[in-house]
Amino acid sequence: MKTREDVKIINQGLDGEMDEFRQWFRVRVHRMLAPGRKPFDDLDVKPRSQLANGNFGHQVCSVQDEQLPQEQQVQIQYFTHHSFRYYWNDAIQNFAFYQGLEDVKVSCAHIHAEHSRGLTKALQDYRRLFFGENEIAVRVPSLFKLLTKEVLNPFYIFQLFSVVLWTAEDYYYYATAIVFMSVISIATSLYTIRKQYVMLHDMVASHSVVRVSVCRGDKDTEQAMSTELVPGDVIAIPANGMVMPCDAVLFQGTCVVNESMLTGESVPVTKTSLPSSGDEAARRYSMEEHKRHTLFCGTDVIQTRFYAGELVKAVVIRTGFSTEKGQLVRCILHPKPTDFRLYRDAYLFLLCLVGVAGIGFVYTIVLSIMNKVPAKTIIIESLDIITITIPPALPAAMTAGIVYAQRRLKRVGIFCISPQRINMCGQLNLVCFDKTGTLTEDGLDLWGIHRAEHGSFVAPEPGPAEERLVKSAFVACMATCHSLTKIEGELSGDPLDLKMFASTGWVLEEPTEEETALHNPLMPTVVRPPKRAITGDGQSQSQVQNMSCELGIVRQFPFSSVLQRMSVVVRRLGDKHMEAFLKGAPEVVAGLCKPHSVPQSFTETLESYTRQGFRVIALAHRQLESKLSWHKVQTLSRDLIETNMEFLGLIVMQNKIKQETAGVLTELRRANIRTLMVTGDNMLTAVSVARDCGMVRPHENVIVADAAPPRDSLPPCITWRYVDKPAQTASDDQTAQILVEEEMYHFALNGRAFAVITEHFPQLIQKLALRATVFARMAPDQKTQLVEVLQGIDYIVGMCGDGANDCGALKRAHSGISLSELEASVASPFTSSTSNISCVPNLIREGRAALITSFCVFKFMALYSIIQYISVILLYWILSNLGDFQFLFIDLVIILIIAFTMSLNPAWKDLVRQRPPSSLISGPLLCSVLTQILTCLAFQVLAFYLVQQQSWYETWTPQSDACNVSRPSSFSDRRNGTTSHDHKNIRNYENTSLFYVSSFQYLAVAIVFSKGKPFRQPSYKNWPFMLSCVGLYSFLLFIMLYPISAIDNFLEIVCVPHDWRVALVIVVAANAVVSFMLEILIVDIILWRLVFRGSQGANGPRESSSGDTPQVANDSWGALFLSRLFCRRNKPPKVLYRHLALELQDDANWPPKPSTVTYAAEAQPHISATL
């Protein structure tokens, strides 16, 4: 049974990521027959071999089940869009997308109870109807399909129209040149697109299809291809590991996994089984919340740990494009459309050119009818005006600047996979930075330890390796509470854990596969002090001591970014009872300890360390009941273990700021580019690092917004707390005094406060984002949300991170730059080979240069079209036109050479405060283009008029010899007409004069528009461009002043007197001078510096005007006068963040006063009573 119908569906009605596109699309809806309506319905279906799988492509499947009559089957409508399948849902009366086992909303305990036995073959086949084959299929389109899609581009259709028209006019050379350029452009584009598809296909297909062991019931397993897997299947993970073909949750055993493909983090991660009892088991399974128990598609399982005779098992959660890897590939295949103002304005500008072409079209028809021109000629010449007005080489010329910028970026170690975003980098006005590995060094150094005994701190100690501390619980916690593992004999794991364990000097030993098989219980990982080389009687004593200090790690609860802690259960050799050790954020650990064990000076001590920029980790310990057995411990929830702990003390780690950080942040601040820190570290540590690197200056206040969710009858609230400033030095006093009046302040939020404020204080989140500089304890998804908030108030946001937890934010930002070169960076538009943030100003400089180049090239190509349009319109008046080889010389020799060489200007060495324009439809740019158009029009009309007033002027014939004519021509001969010798009337004095003048005009506007400082290097340093201009100027002057008959015949130029040639030189020189003066005086000085200067920046505080020089004061008066003249004095800001800044300037209650509270119940954000 097969039926099809066309429907039009809006994305807003669909679930998933496509909502953000807000685009209409047309799809073909299919229908299929199935035993049930939903994939997780309980069906009583007997096994059979011919149950169809639905063929995940566009073909419709029909289920013919001999056990289930056709009339008992249901008809389901579905369609496929962007690699996802959507099925009609009667309950919501819309199409819905089935993601996987999470759709059932099962708890962790339910997965153990109901989904640990696997699926029958029939049920597996049924679910495959809905989920399709488990593969991430990146199909490489055929060259024919790519060619068809590329050629159907409106631009190439227009080019085809132009070529047909030029062929009809016998302009074979120019048509051939355009066809050659188009073929090269299409071939290059096809090669690039196909190469990207092939690379992505190879990356995905390398581990896409593997053989897996599928469990049927408790004991039965069978080998199957990974493409057959569906959500709910149970697979066995082999002991030697595998590359995961799906997303699955581990419910039996332990795995060590390399997740670098997804996270960019090459550190192996330990995955433990899903909790089966306790409060945590009662929670609903969430892939994000339970990612420490989830094996993601594409990640590499390195090792497994298991009970003897039992398999390491996992339940399949998602398959195909629904997996984490599948969604990453889908983002690459179907990226979010780039909405950049430059490209939108370019289309508007082209529409204006189409309007100008329409005027010329009508003018040509009317003029031709008045002169009784044949109909064929009227059609060809009127259509020719359209091809002249819209330049065919515009896209190639615009792309050249981006390609050159991409090559320059590559030379400085920045690699780009999305060249269109280079222009966007030129508009960045805010950059978010990760802290660890980005602003600071990746590794941590142990500064010291601060132990606690009997509820009080002892003196700080340099390290734990002293002999007297070997048997202490503090050192035992450092030696066991980690997720380290040995891979090929080398310790691997989190750098912090590695540094902490190395400081103890202890040794880690893991059981071999043979040792594990000999014991019923899980063989533990053992840590022990190193064997000391003691001779004589001391040797046995040392061995006894080492044996008594050996610790076996029985159970591990991995670190959770949500819980901000990890713990282990260990057993000391010879002891009957077990112990629990806890490590995590100091605030969290202290809250899980007995109050009497936490020193009273805990808060003061912690703040003293974090203010100095140290990273602090707290340790705790607890002795468990002796009745607990090994097997019992394996089923306990961590909530029962991590309670009533004894506080042991603090580990103080030093995270040094990278050498380049402070200088780069200073450079960005001087360029009026705002900087933020987004980190998962402690709040006070983050604030300290922000001060040390210059993101927050010493004299500036930091206001911590500490938000609390609703509790009992209390509404959610925000407590505003001012962080103490460090002591100011004498050199800072003057600077602080100057800026006190400006009330410089920064907000600081942690992840918990960000979540509460986003949910309960939506009216405050944008106000806080306007001044917030430090975001601490932020989860990966919160970083992405922050980028979206900043984009919501019209910031152009950049994100710089090391790729570990920043992938989402890197993808969401306008410009994301990863400092990691691992596979995760495939999601980031830019990747730097240097591991510091010096790449950020380099990228912004190149972006600004590329953006200005795009503006310059677009303006030049627009002027080229208009200049040629003016020439043709004037020549149409006398029923003439430019010759075929004149068009060829202008378009190929002048325009292409200039357009491709004027894009070679490198970026300016300094990052200036002024930002380039973001729009082509802006005052200065429009004034620049219009003044040049009027100038070119005036001088072409002047040349056209003056040549007809010359005494030697007559109707040109092959016998004319104006170079030697001394008699004046009669008035009756002063009108050109068509002749039998030149039926197109190309050769005449007007044509020759306009050809010379317009050729020089192309060069003049190219030099005028090719600007250098402050965004690009001066044009005189662009030697290909200068060489081209000098060469073309010299050639044109030479053939104009010293005519060569061969060149004149080729270009269809007629001989004119030498005096007129000199006059043309004067006209051309005057034209160039006027063009330069108008551009410099009106556009650069009056408009940019005085009228539109106020629109640049406004990101940071207003600079003090107390030290203004007389020149600055004069500029201010000039700006005031011209702003009023142009009606811009009280014009509201266009971007939302400036509008918010103006509003907050008049708010007397902002920023909030210290130690005050804001409640969500209040109608307006009003500050309540002081604490």
Side-chain angles (χ1 to χ4, degrees):
M1 179 176 180
K2 181 186 295 187
T3 61
R4 296 184 178 181
E5 57 183 0
D6 287 335
V7 295
K8 203 172 186 182
I9 302 167
I10 189 169
N11 275 9
Q12 293 174 347
L14 302 180
D15 295 330
E17 297 177 358
M18 288 185 291
D19 287 349
E20 67 198 28
F21 290 4
R22 299 292 190 267
Q23 290 183 339
W24 289 82
F25 61 91
R26 193 173 184 85
V27 294
R28 189 172 297 276
V29 172
H30 308 278
R31 294 176 181 176
M32 72 176 183
L33 292 177
R37 289 192 174 277
K38 296 181 181 180
F40 298 105
D41 287 346
D42 292 328
L43 300 177
D44 186 15
V45 181
K46 296 181 180 180
R48 55 173 191 80
S49 58
Q50 62 267 33
L51 188 64
N53 62 13
N55 192 355
F56 196 61
H58 288 284
Q59 297 185 10
V60 180
C61 68
S62 179
V63 181
Q64 302 294 335
D65 197 325
E66 56 200 37
Q67 301 296 332
L68 188 65
Q70 183 171 342
E71 57 270 13
Q72 295 183 18
Q73 297 182 7
V74 294
Q75 191 180 77
I76 303 174
Q77 295 181 341
Y78 72 95
F79 68 88
T80 304
H81 182 66
H82 286 179
S83 306
F84 275 175
R85 239 187 195 187
Y86 297 87
Y87 293 88
W88 180 257
N89 189 319
D90 289 329
I92 62 174
Q93 288 296 298
N94 206 339
F95 285 92
F97 166 65
Y98 297 120
Q99 195 167 35
L101 198 60
E102 287 178 292
D103 296 336
V104 189
K105 300 179 180 178
V106 294
S107 66
C108 299
H110 191 268
I111 291 178
H112 277 276
E114 301 294 334
H115 297 277
S116 60
R117 294 171 57 85
L119 304 176
T120 63
K121 190 71 169 64
L123 194 55
Q124 184 190 52
D125 291 338
Y126 168 66
R127 289 188 183 179
R128 198 177 301 117
L129 283 172
F130 294 90
F131 294 105
E133 297 288 338
N134 174 36
E135 61 176 343
I136 303 171
V138 180
R139 294 179 175 84
V140 180
S142 65
L143 283 175
F144 177 77
K145 187 175 181 179
L146 287 175
L147 179 64
T148 304
K149 185 177 180 180
E150 188 73 15
V151 170
L152 289 179
N153 184 296
F155 169 70
Y156 289 117
I157 294 175
F158 175 74
Q159 279 197 336
L160 179 63
F161 161 76
S162 302
V163 168
V164 172
L165 181 64
W166 293 329
T167 304
E169 292 184 276
D170 297 333
Y171 289 169
Y172 298 116
Y173 295 102
Y174 189 51
T176 303
I178 291 299
V179 169
F180 177 76
M181 288 173 52
S182 300
V183 169
I184 295 297
S185 176
I186 292 174
T188 304
S189 179
L190 290 182
Y191 172 77
T192 304
I193 294 173
R194 185 173 172 82
K195 182 181 177 182
Q196 290 175 347
Y197 271 108
V198 170
M199 288 175 61
L200 185 60
H201 175 270
D202 293 345
M203 184 188 82
V204 173
S206 58
H207 303 106
S208 181
V209 180
V210 295
R211 294 196 67 84
V212 293
S213 297
V214 182
C215 299
R216 309 284 185 198
D218 291 331
K219 299 294 183 182
D220 297 336
T221 62
E222 65 179 39
Q223 293 294 311
M225 299 304 296
S226 59
T227 52
E228 300 176 13
L229 295 176
V230 296
D233 271 330
V234 174
I235 59 174
I237 312 297
N240 57 348
M242 65 183 295
V243 176
M244 289 299 298
C246 58
D247 288 348
V249 60
L250 197 64
F251 70 89
Q252 184 171 297
T254 306
C255 294
V256 179
V257 185
N258 184 345
E259 294 187 329
S260 61
M261 195 284 299
L262 289 179
T263 65
E265 198 170 304
S266 59
V267 175
V269 179
T270 301
K271 303 282 186 173
T272 57
S273 59
L274 196 69
S276 58
S277 60
D279 293 340
E280 192 171 355
R283 295 178 185 170
R284 195 174 82 186
Y285 172 77
S286 166
M287 187 171 287
E288 178 61 33
E289 183 179 348
H290 297 94
K291 62 183 179 181
R292 281 294 185 175
H293 313 292
T294 305
L295 306 172
F296 294 104
C297 178
T299 59
D300 188 8
V301 178
I302 304 170
Q303 291 179 353
T304 60
R305 309 276 179 81
F306 51 91
Y307 289 99
E310 295 188 13
L311 299 174
V312 176
K313 295 181 181 180
V315 179
V316 176
I317 300 295
R318 297 180 186 175
T319 58
F321 278 98
S322 298
T323 63
E324 288 291 307
K325 181 180 179 181
Q327 292 185 38
L328 177 62
V329 174
R330 186 171 169 270
C331 286
I332 300 171
L333 288 174
H334 312 288
K336 182 179 179 181
T338 303
D339 183 20
F340 191 35
R341 195 172 178 182
L342 170 65
Y343 303 124
R344 283 184 287 142
D345 291 347
Y347 286 119
L348 290 175
F349 208 95
L350 286 177
L351 286 177
C352 294
L353 292 180
V354 171
V356 173
I359 296 173
F361 181 82
V362 174
Y363 163 84
T364 304
I365 293 176
V366 172
L367 190 64
S368 300
I369 293 175
M370 290 174 58
N371 289 277
K372 299 179 180 179
V373 176
K376 179 182 177 182
T377 306
I378 293 176
I379 294 173
I380 290 177
E381 290 188 345
S382 58
L383 292 176
D384 195 34
I385 280 290
I386 299 176
T387 65
I388 289 172
T389 312
I390 303 173
L394 177 62
M398 292 281 287
T399 305
I402 297 177
V403 172
Y404 296 149
Q406 189 175 4
R407 290 179 179 176
R408 290 194 296 267
L409 286 172
K410 190 174 181 180
R411 285 199 292 267
V412 295
I414 300 175
F415 303 94
C416 174
I417 63 171
S418 180
Q420 293 81 8
R421 290 185 182 256
I422 296 178
N423 275 340
M424 205 171 285
C425 295
Q427 279 296 308
L428 290 182
N429 51 19
L430 184 148
V431 183
C432 302
F433 292 97
D434 182 37
K435 183 180 78 68
T436 306
T438 304
L439 298 175
T440 61
E441 296 290 349
D442 208 359
L444 293 169
D445 296 323
L446 182 69
W447 180 84
I449 59 175
H450 206 158
R451 294 184 302 115
E453 292 181 358
H454 310 297
S456 61
F457 282 116
V458 299
E461 296 160 299
E466 298 182 21
E467 184 78 22
R468 60 186 179 85
L469 298 177
V470 169
K471 288 189 176 183
S472 68
F474 190 94
V475 173
C477 185
M478 292 182 68
T480 57
C481 199
H482 52 70
S483 57
L484 300 179
T485 185
K486 275 194 172 182
I487 299 176
E488 297 181 357
E490 294 291 330
L491 271 181
S492 297
D494 186 87
L496 186 147
D497 287 344
L498 283 171
K499 186 69 69 172
M500 181 183 71
F501 183 76
S503 67
T504 64
W506 285 37
V507 178
L508 182 142
E509 294 178 351
E510 290 184 330
T512 63
E513 185 174 344
E514 293 77 12
E515 290 174 333
T516 305
L518 292 175
H519 299 78
N520 282 330
L522 185 70
M523 281 293 293
T525 297
V526 175
V527 294
R528 56 175 175 77
K531 296 179 180 179
R532 295 171 180 80
I534 304 175
T535 59
D537 297 335
Q539 183 173 0
S540 59
Q541 182 179 355
S542 174
Q543 290 177 350
V544 171
Q545 178 181 331
N546 289 341
M547 292 291 286
S548 63
C549 290
E550 282 191 10
L551 300 170
I553 302 175
V554 179
R555 178 84 187 275
Q556 181 188 100
F557 297 98
F559 177 79
S560 166
S561 58
V562 177
L563 301 176
Q564 298 180 8
R565 64 180 187 266
M566 77 162 291
S567 60
V568 292
V569 177
V570 304
R571 184 172 183 176
R572 194 181 298 270
L573 188 64
D575 287 354
K576 294 182 179 180
H577 61 269
M578 299 185 191
E579 300 173 86
F581 290 108
L582 176 69
K583 175 188 74 176
E587 306 94 331
V588 175
V589 172
L592 298 173
C593 291
K594 299 175 182 176
H596 67 83
S597 69
V598 181
Q600 293 183 353
S601 60
F602 169 78
T603 303
E604 294 79 4
T605 303
L606 177 61
E607 287 191 3
S608 69
Y609 285 126
T610 53
R611 279 204 189 95
Q612 298 176 61
F614 292 116
R615 183 169 182 178
V616 184
I617 299 164
L619 306 181
H621 161 263
R622 176 190 172 192
Q623 186 168 310
L624 302 178
E625 296 81 1
S626 58
K627 63 180 181 180
L628 284 178
S629 64
W630 287 50
H631 287 287
K632 181 68 174 175
V633 167
Q634 302 303 321
T635 59
L636 284 178
S637 70
R638 69 188 303 166
D639 293 333
L640 296 176
I641 299 292
E642 298 170 348
T643 184
N644 291 325
M645 310 290 286
E646 296 280 343
F647 187 79
L648 293 177
L650 304 173
I651 301 175
V652 185
M653 312 290 285
Q654 189 174 17
N655 194 196
K656 297 178 181 177
I657 295 175
K658 291 183 179 179
Q659 185 177 356
E660 301 83 4
T661 297
V664 169
L665 294 179
T666 301
E667 185 178 7
L668 293 176
R669 185 174 64 249
R670 288 174 180 168
N672 200 33
I673 297 173
R674 188 178 157 201
T675 55
L676 304 182
M677 181 192 298
V678 189
T679 178
D681 208 343
N682 174 276
M683 170 68 76
L684 292 178
T685 301
V687 171
S688 174
V689 171
R691 288 194 188 277
D692 292 342
C693 66
M695 195 175 285
V696 176
R697 286 175 281 185
H699 49 268
E700 297 172 340
N701 287 314
V702 175
I703 307 171
V704 175
D706 190 7
R711 291 194 203 94
D712 301 329
S713 60
L714 294 176
C717 62
I718 306 175
T719 304
W720 308 95
R721 181 167 52 88
Y722 281 53
V723 178
D724 295 336
K725 299 179 188 177
Q728 292 183 356
T729 61
S731 60
D732 294 328
D733 291 343
Q734 185 177 359
T735 308
Q737 186 65 31
I738 292 174
L739 293 175
V740 159
E741 299 176 359
E742 297 178 9
E743 296 184 355
M744 283 300 301
Y745 61 91
H746 302 263
F747 286 111
L749 291 80
N750 59 26
R752 175 184 178 226
F754 181 80
V756 172
I757 293 172
T758 302
E759 181 179 358
H760 300 286
F761 299 86
Q763 74 278 12
L764 285 183
I765 190 64
Q766 291 186 341
K767 295 180 180 180
L768 289 171
L770 190 68
R771 283 287 192 173
T773 301
V774 177
F775 293 85
R777 298 293 190 204
M778 295 286 280
D781 60 319
Q782 289 181 320
K783 294 183 180 182
T784 306
Q785 293 173 25
L786 173 62
V787 170
E788 292 172 347
V789 169
L790 294 169
Q791 291 173 336
I793 55 176
D794 297 336
Y795 276 111
I796 308 298
V797 183
M799 175 71 196
C800 181
D802 59 2
N805 298 310
D806 311 310
C807 290
L810 289 170
K811 286 191 294 184
R812 181 65 65 190
H814 291 106
S815 175
I817 180 166
S818 171
L819 303 186
S820 168
E821 295 186 70
L822 297 170
E823 286 184 356
S825 299
V826 73
S828 178
F830 302 94
T831 303
S832 173
S833 59
T834 57
S835 58
N836 59 68
I837 64 172
S838 61
C839 56
V840 174
N842 288 335
L843 182 60
I844 297 175
R845 274 194 292 267
E846 289 295 346
R848 290 182 172 186
L851 185 59
I852 288 297
T853 298
S854 296
F855 284 130
C856 293
V857 170
F858 194 94
K859 288 163 60 180
F860 171 69
M861 297 300 288
L863 258 294
Y864 143 64
S865 298
I866 296 298
I867 292 171
Q868 198 170 81
Y869 172 83
I870 294 171
S871 302
V872 172
I873 287 292
L874 290 174
L875 290 175
Y876 275 5
W877 183 256
I878 61 170
L879 304 182
S880 180
N881 201 347
L882 291 173
D884 189 3
F885 291 101
Q886 288 176 342
F887 276 121
L888 197 66
F889 176 80
I890 291 170
D891 292 324
L892 295 185
V893 178
I894 296 180
I895 302 304
L896 285 187
I897 292 177
I898 293 300
F900 284 101
T901 57
M902 74 185 301
S903 304
L904 288 170
N905 289 44
W908 183 246
K909 57 184 179 180
D910 296 324
L911 201 59
V912 297
R913 186 176 180 83
Q914 181 186 5
R915 276 196 297 275
S918 60
S919 171
L920 280 169
I921 315 299
S922 64
L925 293 179
L926 287 178
C927 286
S928 173
V929 171
L930 291 176
T931 54
Q932 295 303 321
I933 289 176
L934 293 175
T935 302
C936 294
L937 173 64
F939 279 95
Q940 284 203 47
V941 170
L942 178 65
F944 185 82
Y945 174 76
L946 288 180
V947 71
Q948 294 179 341
Q949 306 305 314
Q950 301 304 307
S951 58
W952 45 265
Y953 179 83
E954 64 178 358
T955 302
W956 186 90
T957 65
Q959 290 75 33
S960 298
D961 191 9
C963 297
N964 298 317
V965 170
S966 57
R967 65 176 180 85
S969 300
S970 63
F971 181 78
S972 60
D973 293 332
R974 288 194 173 196
R975 188 171 183 277
N976 270 334
T978 57
T979 68
S980 59
H981 304 284
D982 184 9
H983 68 279
K984 291 186 178 180
N985 192 24
I986 302 300
R987 296 174 182 268
N988 55 63
Y989 300 120
E990 291 90 346
N991 172 288
T992 299
S993 302
L994 289 182
F995 172 75
Y996 282 133
V997 172
S998 64
S999 295
F1000 281 103
Q1001 284 180 340
Y1002 299 130
L1003 296 176
V1005 296
I1007 296 174
V1008 166
F1009 289 156
S1010 185
K1011 297 179 181 178
K1013 190 178 177 181
F1015 304 114
R1016 303 197 306 168
Q1017 294 284 355
S1019 293
Y1020 63 80
K1021 291 189 176 182
N1022 181 359
W1023 65 265
F1025 175 69
M1026 294 305 300
L1027 194 62
S1028 302
C1029 289
V1030 171
L1032 288 170
Y1033 261 117
S1034 302
F1035 175 77
L1036 289 171
L1037 283 173
F1038 180 78
I1039 65 172
M1040 187 167 68
L1041 294 177
Y1042 304 98
I1044 300 174
S1045 59
I1047 296 177
D1048 288 354
N1049 291 332
F1050 178 78
L1051 294 176
E1052 299 180 89
I1053 297 172
V1054 300
C1055 185
V1056 294
H1058 188 269
D1059 291 344
W1060 178 240
R1061 296 175 186 274
V1062 174
L1064 286 179
V1065 172
I1066 296 173
V1067 170
V1068 166
N1071 187 353
V1073 171
V1074 171
S1075 294
F1076 276 103
M1077 293 300 295
L1078 288 175
E1079 184 74 11
I1080 294 173
L1081 180 64
I1082 294 181
V1083 178
D1084 290 348
I1085 295 179
I1086 295 179
L1087 294 178
W1088 270 122
R1089 294 187 182 179
L1090 301 179
V1091 179
F1092 295 94
R1093 182 179 60 178
S1095 65
Q1096 300 294 321
N1099 246 349
R1102 295 187 300 271
E1103 297 296 332
S1104 175
S1105 58
S1106 58
D1108 287 348
T1109 62
Q1111 179 62 42
V1112 174
N1114 291 336
D1115 285 350
S1116 300
W1117 281 104
L1120 178 64
F1121 171 75
L1122 290 171
S1123 295
R1124 292 184 181 278
L1125 179 65
F1126 283 86
C1127 302
R1128 291 180 56 86
R1129 184 62 182 165
N1130 297 316
K1131 191 173 182 180
K1134 293 182 180 179
V1135 290
L1136 182 56
Y1137 68 85
R1138 289 186 191 143
H1139 184 74
L1140 284 172
L1142 291 176
E1143 282 186 355
L1144 294 178
Q1145 284 179 2
D1146 301 327
D1147 190 346
N1149 293 324
W1150 195 266
K1153 301 298 185 290
S1155 302
T1156 53
V1157 182
T1158 300
Y1159 291 100
E1162 298 164 12
Q1164 298 295 330
H1166 173 71
I1167 309 302
S1168 70
T1170 304
L1171 292 176

